[in-house]
Protein backbone atom coordinates (compact mmCIF):
# COMPACT_ATOMS: atom_id res chain seq x y z
CA UNK A 1 0.00 0.00 0.00
CA UNK A 2 1.21 3.52 -0.74
CA UNK A 3 -0.29 6.08 1.57
CA UNK A 4 -2.41 9.06 0.67
CA UNK A 5 -0.39 12.18 1.47
CA UNK A 6 -2.37 14.52 3.69
CA UNK A 7 -1.49 17.95 2.33
CA UNK A 8 -1.37 20.27 5.34
CA UNK A 9 -0.49 23.30 3.25
CA UNK A 10 -3.60 22.93 1.13
CA UNK A 11 -5.76 22.07 4.15
CA UNK A 12 -4.47 25.09 6.10
CA UNK A 13 -5.19 27.38 3.16
CA UNK A 14 -8.75 26.00 3.12
CA UNK A 15 -9.14 26.66 6.88
CA UNK A 16 -7.79 30.22 6.51
CA UNK A 17 -10.16 30.78 3.60
CA UNK A 18 -13.07 29.61 5.74
CA UNK A 19 -11.96 31.90 8.61
CA UNK A 20 -11.69 34.84 6.18
CA UNK A 21 -15.19 34.16 4.80
CA UNK A 22 -16.70 34.04 8.30
CA UNK A 23 -14.81 37.19 9.42
CA UNK A 24 -16.25 38.98 6.41
CA UNK A 25 -19.76 37.65 7.03
CA UNK A 26 -19.60 38.81 10.67
CA UNK A 27 -18.28 42.30 9.85
CA UNK A 28 -21.47 43.85 11.21
CA UNK A 29 -20.51 42.58 14.68
CA UNK A 30 -16.99 44.07 14.61
CA UNK A 31 -13.51 42.87 13.71
CA UNK A 32 -11.73 40.03 15.55
CA UNK A 33 -8.35 41.11 16.96
CA UNK A 34 -5.30 38.99 17.77
CA UNK A 35 -2.39 40.26 19.87
CA UNK A 36 0.95 38.47 19.84
CA UNK A 37 3.50 39.24 22.55
CA UNK A 38 7.15 38.44 21.90
CA UNK A 39 9.81 38.86 24.56
CA UNK A 40 13.42 38.81 23.39
CA UNK A 41 15.07 38.26 20.03
CA UNK A 42 14.91 34.51 19.46
CA UNK A 43 15.21 34.28 15.63
CA UNK A 44 12.79 31.33 15.23
CA UNK A 45 10.17 33.09 17.39
CA UNK A 46 10.58 36.28 15.32
CA UNK A 47 9.86 34.31 12.13
CA UNK A 48 6.74 32.72 13.68
CA UNK A 49 5.45 36.05 14.95
CA UNK A 50 5.97 37.72 11.56
CA UNK A 51 4.07 35.05 9.68
CA UNK A 52 1.29 34.99 12.31
CA UNK A 53 0.86 38.76 11.91
CA UNK A 54 0.79 38.54 8.11
CA UNK A 55 -1.82 35.76 8.04
CA UNK A 56 -3.95 37.48 10.68
CA UNK A 57 -4.24 40.54 8.44
CA UNK A 58 -4.87 38.34 5.36
CA UNK A 59 -8.01 36.83 6.93
CA UNK A 60 -9.33 40.31 7.73
CA UNK A 61 -8.52 40.42 11.44
CA UNK A 62 -6.80 43.15 13.41
CA UNK A 63 -3.20 42.20 14.24
CA UNK A 64 -1.31 43.73 17.16
CA UNK A 65 2.30 42.89 17.98
CA UNK A 66 4.09 43.72 21.23
CA UNK A 67 7.83 43.20 20.90
CA UNK A 68 9.52 43.56 24.25
CA UNK A 69 13.25 43.44 25.01
CA UNK A 70 14.71 40.28 26.57
CA UNK A 71 15.40 42.12 29.84
CA UNK A 72 11.69 43.04 30.31
CA UNK A 73 10.65 42.21 33.87
CA UNK A 74 7.89 39.73 34.60
CA UNK A 75 5.85 42.55 36.21
CA UNK A 76 6.12 44.63 33.00
CA UNK A 77 4.97 41.69 30.91
CA UNK A 78 2.03 41.09 33.27
CA UNK A 79 1.01 44.74 32.82
CA UNK A 80 1.01 44.32 29.02
CA UNK A 81 -1.18 41.21 29.41
CA UNK A 82 -3.56 42.99 31.80
CA UNK A 83 -3.97 45.82 29.28
CA UNK A 84 -4.72 43.34 26.49
CA UNK A 85 -7.19 41.47 28.73
CA UNK A 86 -9.05 44.76 29.20
CA UNK A 87 -8.87 45.80 25.52
CA UNK A 88 -12.27 45.14 23.89
CA UNK A 89 -10.77 45.21 20.38
CA UNK A 90 -8.58 42.19 21.24
CA UNK A 91 -10.20 38.73 21.30
CA UNK A 92 -7.09 36.54 21.23
CA UNK A 93 -3.78 36.89 23.10
CA UNK A 94 -0.76 34.74 22.37
CA UNK A 95 2.47 34.99 24.35
CA UNK A 96 5.20 33.47 22.21
CA UNK A 97 7.11 30.72 24.05
CA UNK A 98 9.76 30.13 25.21
CA UNK A 99 10.04 33.13 27.51
CA UNK A 100 13.42 34.28 28.84
CA UNK A 101 14.69 32.23 31.80
CA UNK A 102 13.90 34.86 34.46
CA UNK A 103 10.16 34.53 33.81
CA UNK A 104 7.70 31.98 35.19
CA UNK A 105 5.89 30.72 32.07
CA UNK A 106 2.99 29.17 33.99
CA UNK A 107 2.35 32.37 35.89
CA UNK A 108 2.46 34.46 32.69
CA UNK A 109 0.16 32.12 30.72
CA UNK A 110 -2.32 31.94 33.60
CA UNK A 111 -2.48 35.75 33.65
CA UNK A 112 -4.17 35.72 30.22
CA UNK A 113 -7.97 35.96 30.29
CA UNK A 114 -8.96 32.30 29.57
CA UNK A 115 -11.58 33.54 27.07
CA UNK A 116 -8.75 35.18 25.06
CA UNK A 117 -6.24 32.32 25.54
CA UNK A 118 -6.12 31.27 21.87
CA UNK A 119 -3.15 28.95 22.52
CA UNK A 120 -5.31 26.96 24.96
CA UNK A 121 -2.52 26.74 27.55
CA UNK A 122 -4.31 28.48 30.47
CA UNK A 123 -4.99 26.07 33.31
CA UNK A 124 -8.77 26.73 33.00
CA UNK A 125 -8.76 25.68 29.36
CA UNK A 126 -6.65 22.63 30.17
CA UNK A 127 -9.22 21.66 32.81
CA UNK A 128 -12.18 22.31 30.54
CA UNK A 129 -10.68 20.17 27.75
CA UNK A 130 -9.85 17.41 30.24
CA UNK A 131 -13.45 17.33 31.45
CA UNK A 132 -14.94 17.44 27.95
CA UNK A 133 -16.29 20.99 28.22
CA UNK A 134 -16.08 23.87 25.73
CA UNK A 135 -12.57 25.30 25.90
CA UNK A 136 -9.85 26.90 23.82
CA UNK A 137 -8.04 23.95 22.26
CA UNK A 138 -4.25 24.13 21.68
CA UNK A 139 -3.63 24.89 18.00
CA UNK A 140 -1.34 22.03 16.96
CA UNK A 141 -3.52 19.19 18.33
CA UNK A 142 -6.62 20.95 16.97
CA UNK A 143 -5.02 20.96 13.51
CA UNK A 144 -4.18 17.25 13.83
CA UNK A 145 -7.77 16.44 14.84
CA UNK A 146 -9.18 18.42 11.92
CA UNK A 147 -7.00 16.44 9.49
CA UNK A 148 -8.00 13.12 11.07
CA UNK A 149 -11.72 13.96 10.98
CA UNK A 150 -11.41 15.14 7.39
CA UNK A 151 -9.76 11.86 6.37
CA UNK A 152 -11.84 9.41 8.41
CA UNK A 153 -15.11 11.13 9.23
CA UNK A 154 -15.82 9.40 12.55
CA UNK A 155 -12.84 8.25 14.67
CA UNK A 156 -15.08 6.31 17.06
CA UNK A 157 -13.60 3.02 18.28
CA UNK A 158 -10.24 3.46 16.57
CA UNK A 159 -7.01 2.54 18.39
CA UNK A 160 -4.82 5.64 18.64
CA UNK A 161 -1.33 6.06 20.02
CA UNK A 162 0.12 9.45 20.82
CA UNK A 163 3.89 9.35 21.20
CA UNK A 164 4.87 12.22 23.51
CA UNK A 165 3.17 13.59 26.62
CA UNK A 166 3.95 17.33 26.51
CA UNK A 167 1.37 19.82 27.74
CA UNK A 168 1.26 21.59 24.36
CA UNK A 169 0.92 18.59 22.04
CA UNK A 170 0.82 15.07 23.48
CA UNK A 171 -1.63 15.45 26.38
CA UNK A 172 -4.21 17.69 24.63
CA UNK A 173 -3.98 15.47 21.53
CA UNK A 174 -4.82 12.43 23.65
CA UNK A 175 -7.76 14.29 25.24
CA UNK A 176 -9.14 15.23 21.82
CA UNK A 177 -8.85 11.66 20.52
CA UNK A 178 -10.57 10.40 23.67
CA UNK A 179 -13.28 13.01 23.10
CA UNK A 180 -13.79 11.50 19.64
CA UNK A 181 -14.14 8.04 21.24
CA UNK A 182 -10.79 6.55 20.26
CA UNK A 183 -9.08 4.03 22.52
CA UNK A 184 -5.99 6.07 23.38
CA UNK A 185 -2.52 5.06 24.46
CA UNK A 186 -0.04 7.79 25.44
CA UNK A 187 3.56 6.66 24.94
CA UNK A 188 6.68 8.46 26.21
CA UNK A 189 10.37 7.94 26.88
CA UNK A 190 9.69 5.25 29.52
CA UNK A 191 7.26 3.22 27.42
CA UNK A 192 8.29 -0.43 27.16
CA UNK A 193 8.32 -1.88 23.65
CA UNK A 194 7.15 1.21 21.78
CA UNK A 195 7.29 -0.73 18.50
CA UNK A 196 4.63 -3.13 19.77
CA UNK A 197 2.41 -0.27 21.00
CA UNK A 198 2.64 1.53 17.65
CA UNK A 199 2.01 -1.66 15.63
CA UNK A 200 -1.47 -1.99 17.19
CA UNK A 201 -2.56 1.56 16.33
CA UNK A 202 -4.99 2.65 13.62
CA UNK A 203 -3.87 6.23 14.27
CA UNK A 204 -0.30 7.22 15.17
CA UNK A 205 0.44 10.78 16.28
CA UNK A 206 4.18 11.29 16.74
CA UNK A 207 5.16 14.35 18.83
CA UNK A 208 8.61 13.58 20.17
CA UNK A 209 11.26 15.75 18.54
CA UNK A 210 13.61 12.91 17.50
CA UNK A 211 14.40 12.71 13.79
CA UNK A 212 12.82 9.71 12.03
CA UNK A 213 12.64 7.62 15.22
CA UNK A 214 9.51 5.73 14.09
CA UNK A 215 10.48 3.34 11.28
CA UNK A 216 7.98 2.22 8.66
CA UNK A 217 7.89 -1.36 9.92
CA UNK A 218 6.30 -0.17 13.20
CA UNK A 219 3.29 1.14 11.25
CA UNK A 220 0.24 -1.13 10.92
CA UNK A 221 -0.84 -1.60 7.27
CA UNK A 222 -3.34 1.12 6.42
CA UNK A 223 -2.86 3.18 9.60
CA UNK A 224 -3.08 6.98 9.56
CA UNK A 225 0.15 8.70 10.59
CA UNK A 226 0.22 12.30 11.83
CA UNK A 227 3.80 13.47 12.19
CA UNK A 228 4.06 16.53 14.44
CA UNK A 229 7.84 16.44 14.83
CA UNK A 230 9.99 19.12 13.21
CA UNK A 231 13.67 18.23 13.25
CA UNK A 232 16.50 19.84 11.33
CA UNK A 233 19.19 17.39 10.22
CA UNK A 234 22.35 17.63 8.12
CA UNK A 235 21.81 17.10 4.40
CA UNK A 236 25.26 16.61 2.86
CA UNK A 237 23.53 15.41 -0.35
CA UNK A 238 22.35 19.03 -0.84
CA UNK A 239 25.86 20.42 -0.41
CA UNK A 240 28.28 21.22 2.36
CA UNK A 241 26.69 22.68 5.49
CA UNK A 242 23.15 22.20 4.12
CA UNK A 243 20.28 20.96 6.27
CA UNK A 244 16.73 19.71 5.78
CA UNK A 245 13.63 19.20 7.89
CA UNK A 246 12.36 15.75 8.82
CA UNK A 247 9.62 14.51 11.12
CA UNK A 248 9.64 11.97 13.94
CA UNK A 249 8.54 9.28 11.46
CA UNK A 250 10.77 7.79 8.76
CA UNK A 251 8.62 9.02 5.89
CA UNK A 252 10.05 6.96 3.02
CA UNK A 253 9.38 3.62 4.74
CA UNK A 254 6.16 4.65 6.51
CA UNK A 255 4.54 5.86 3.28
CA UNK A 256 4.76 2.26 1.97
CA UNK A 257 2.62 0.89 4.83
CA UNK A 258 0.35 3.70 6.05
CA UNK A 259 -3.09 4.41 4.60
CA UNK A 260 -2.49 8.15 4.97
CA UNK A 261 0.40 10.22 6.25
CA UNK A 262 1.34 13.86 6.81
CA UNK A 263 4.68 14.95 5.32
CA UNK A 264 7.29 17.14 7.04
CA UNK A 265 7.43 19.92 6.05
CA UNK A 266 3.95 20.66 4.68
CA UNK A 267 1.85 18.57 7.05
CA UNK A 268 0.94 19.57 10.60
CA UNK A 269 3.11 22.74 10.61
CA UNK A 270 0.91 24.96 8.40
CA UNK A 271 -2.22 23.88 10.30
CA UNK A 272 -0.97 25.41 13.56
CA UNK A 273 -1.30 29.06 12.46
CA UNK A 274 -4.57 28.31 10.63
CA UNK A 275 -5.96 26.94 13.90
CA UNK A 276 -4.70 29.98 15.80
CA UNK A 277 -6.83 32.12 13.49
CA UNK A 278 -9.75 29.72 13.88
CA UNK A 279 -9.43 29.99 17.68
CA UNK A 280 -9.36 33.80 17.48
CA UNK A 281 -12.59 33.69 15.48
CA UNK A 282 -14.10 31.30 18.04
CA UNK A 283 -13.09 33.66 20.88
CA UNK A 284 -14.63 36.59 18.98
CA UNK A 285 -17.90 34.73 18.43
CA UNK A 286 -18.11 33.66 22.07
CA UNK A 287 -17.41 37.23 23.26
CA UNK A 288 -20.33 38.48 21.12
CA UNK A 289 -22.70 35.63 22.02
CA UNK A 290 -22.68 34.46 18.39
CA UNK A 291 -22.85 30.78 17.35
CA UNK A 292 -19.48 28.97 17.25
CA UNK A 293 -17.86 29.02 13.79
CA UNK A 294 -18.85 25.76 12.14
CA UNK A 295 -16.10 23.20 11.44
CA UNK A 296 -13.42 25.36 13.06
CA UNK A 297 -13.77 24.23 16.63
CA UNK A 298 -14.38 20.94 18.49
P1 LIG B 1 8.63 17.91 24.25
O1 LIG B 1 10.12 17.82 24.22
O2 LIG B 1 7.97 18.81 25.22
O3 LIG B 1 8.04 16.42 24.49
C1 LIG B 1 8.59 15.33 23.82
C2 LIG B 1 7.92 14.07 24.30
O4 LIG B 1 8.52 12.97 23.62
C3 LIG B 1 8.09 13.80 25.79
O5 LIG B 1 6.85 13.44 26.36
C4 LIG B 1 9.09 12.64 25.86
O6 LIG B 1 8.86 11.73 26.89
C5 LIG B 1 8.81 11.94 24.54
N1 LIG B 1 9.99 11.17 24.13
C6 LIG B 1 11.28 11.56 24.09
N2 LIG B 1 12.07 10.55 23.66
C7 LIG B 1 11.25 9.50 23.43
C8 LIG B 1 11.46 8.18 22.99
N3 LIG B 1 12.67 7.72 22.70
N4 LIG B 1 10.40 7.38 22.87
C9 LIG B 1 9.16 7.81 23.16
N5 LIG B 1 8.89 9.07 23.58
C10 LIG B 1 9.92 9.90 23.72
O7 LIG B 1 8.21 18.23 22.75
P2 LIG B 1 6.88 18.94 22.15
O8 LIG B 1 5.69 18.13 22.48
O9 LIG B 1 6.90 20.36 22.46
O10 LIG B 1 7.20 18.80 20.59
C11 LIG B 1 7.38 17.54 19.97
C12 LIG B 1 7.79 17.75 18.53
O11 LIG B 1 6.75 18.44 17.84
C13 LIG B 1 9.05 18.61 18.33
O12 LIG B 1 9.75 18.14 17.20
C14 LIG B 1 8.48 19.99 18.04
O13 LIG B 1 9.37 20.77 17.24
C15 LIG B 1 7.25 19.61 17.24
N6 LIG B 1 6.19 20.61 17.28
C16 LIG B 1 5.61 20.96 16.09
C17 LIG B 1 4.59 21.86 16.05
C18 LIG B 1 3.97 22.17 14.73
O14 LIG B 1 3.38 23.21 14.57
N7 LIG B 1 4.04 21.26 13.77
C19 LIG B 1 4.12 22.55 17.25
C20 LIG B 1 4.72 22.06 18.47
C21 LIG B 1 5.73 21.13 18.46
P3 LIG B 1 9.08 12.08 28.45
O15 LIG B 1 7.89 12.91 28.83
O16 LIG B 1 9.12 10.75 29.11
O17 LIG B 1 10.36 12.84 28.53
Amino acid sequence: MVAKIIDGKEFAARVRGEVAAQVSALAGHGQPGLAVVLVGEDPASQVYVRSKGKMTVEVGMKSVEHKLPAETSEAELLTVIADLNADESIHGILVQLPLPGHMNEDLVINAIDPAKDVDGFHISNVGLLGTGQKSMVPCTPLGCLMMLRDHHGSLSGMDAVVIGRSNIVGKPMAQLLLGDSCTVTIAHSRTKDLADVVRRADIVVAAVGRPEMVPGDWIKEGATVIDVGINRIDAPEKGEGKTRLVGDVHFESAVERAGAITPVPGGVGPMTIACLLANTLTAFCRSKGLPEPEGLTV
Side-chain angles (χ1 to χ4, degrees):
M1 168 177 278
V2 175
K4 171 186 183 244
I5 310 294
I6 300 176
D7 184 344
K9 247 172 114 173
E10 186 270 331
F11 199 125
R14 234 191 307 153
V15 171
R16 292 198 308 275
E18 185 54 36
V19 171
Q22 296 197 32
V23 168
S24 165
L26 294 171
H29 297 275
Q31 184 188 32
L34 172 63
V36 177
V37 182
L38 173 64
V39 187
E41 270 101 46
D42 178 59
S45 295
Q46 285 180 330
V47 172
Y48 290 140
V49 168
R50 246 197 321 275
S51 67
K52 281 170 188 167
K54 186 169 159 272
M55 290 186 187
T56 305
V57 171
E58 276 171 12
V59 297
M61 294 181 182
K62 169 178 163 172
S63 168
V64 174
E65 282 175 25
H66 286 268
K67 291 188 178 157
L68 309 174
E71 54 283 2
T72 302
S73 71
E74 195 175 85
E76 286 168 317
L77 176 58
L78 292 175
T79 303
V80 171
I81 292 173
D83 288 347
L84 292 169
N85 283 343
D87 185 339
E88 287 184 6
S89 75
I90 295 299
H91 307 90
I93 302 169
L94 179 149
V95 176
Q96 185 68 44
L97 301 178
L99 288 170
H102 64 278
M103 293 194 183
N104 177 338
E105 278 188 0
D106 288 339
L107 189 135
V108 169
I109 296 303
N110 290 326
I112 298 172
D113 177 350
K116 298 189 179 187
D117 167 40
V118 281
D119 250 344
F121 297 160
H122 189 290
I123 192 70
S124 300
N125 283 315
V126 175
L128 289 167
L129 179 64
T131 49
Q133 301 179 67
K134 282 274 174 219
S135 64
M136 277 291 154
V137 178
C139 303
T140 301
L142 177 58
C144 296
L145 186 75
M146 280 185 188
M147 293 194 284
L148 285 166
R149 283 181 176 175
D150 185 66
H151 181 67
H152 287 286
S154 169
L155 308 181
S156 181
M158 297 179 84
D159 276 317
V161 60
V162 180
I163 318 175
R165 56 175 163 179
S166 72
N167 290 335
I168 64 167
V169 189
K171 283 182 198 152
M173 186 74 242
Q175 296 285 5
L176 289 173
L177 291 166
L178 201 55
D180 270 25
S181 298
C182 292
T183 302
V184 184
T185 303
I186 306 177
H188 46 77
S189 65
R190 308 295 170 90
T191 297
K192 286 184 194 151
D193 203 350
L194 182 60
D196 186 54
V197 172
V198 174
R199 280 193 185 109
R200 281 181 271 143
D202 306 309
I203 293 171
V204 179
V205 180
V208 181
R210 291 169 74 100
E212 302 178 322
M213 69 161 277
V214 178
D217 68 1
W218 288 10
I219 304 297
K220 176 167 147 181
E221 278 286 337
T224 301
V225 178
I226 305 289
D227 193 350
V228 182
I230 303 176
N231 310 288
R232 191 165 284 285
I233 61 166
D234 292 337
E237 72 282 3
K238 287 168 70 180
E240 205 187 309
K242 297 282 184 198
T243 59
R244 66 189 174 99
L245 291 180
V246 296
D248 291 339
V249 177
H250 185 261
F251 185 84
E252 287 74 17
S253 54
V255 79
E256 299 291 332
R257 292 177 65 90
I261 187 167
T262 58
V264 177
V268 174
M271 287 298 286
T272 298
I273 295 184
C275 288
L276 174 67
L277 302 173
N279 276 351
T280 304
L281 179 62
T282 300
F284 172 80
C285 290
R286 287 178 186 168
S287 78
K288 304 279 178 193
L290 297 165
E292 307 258 318
E294 206 152 309
L296 297 175
T297 182
V298 289

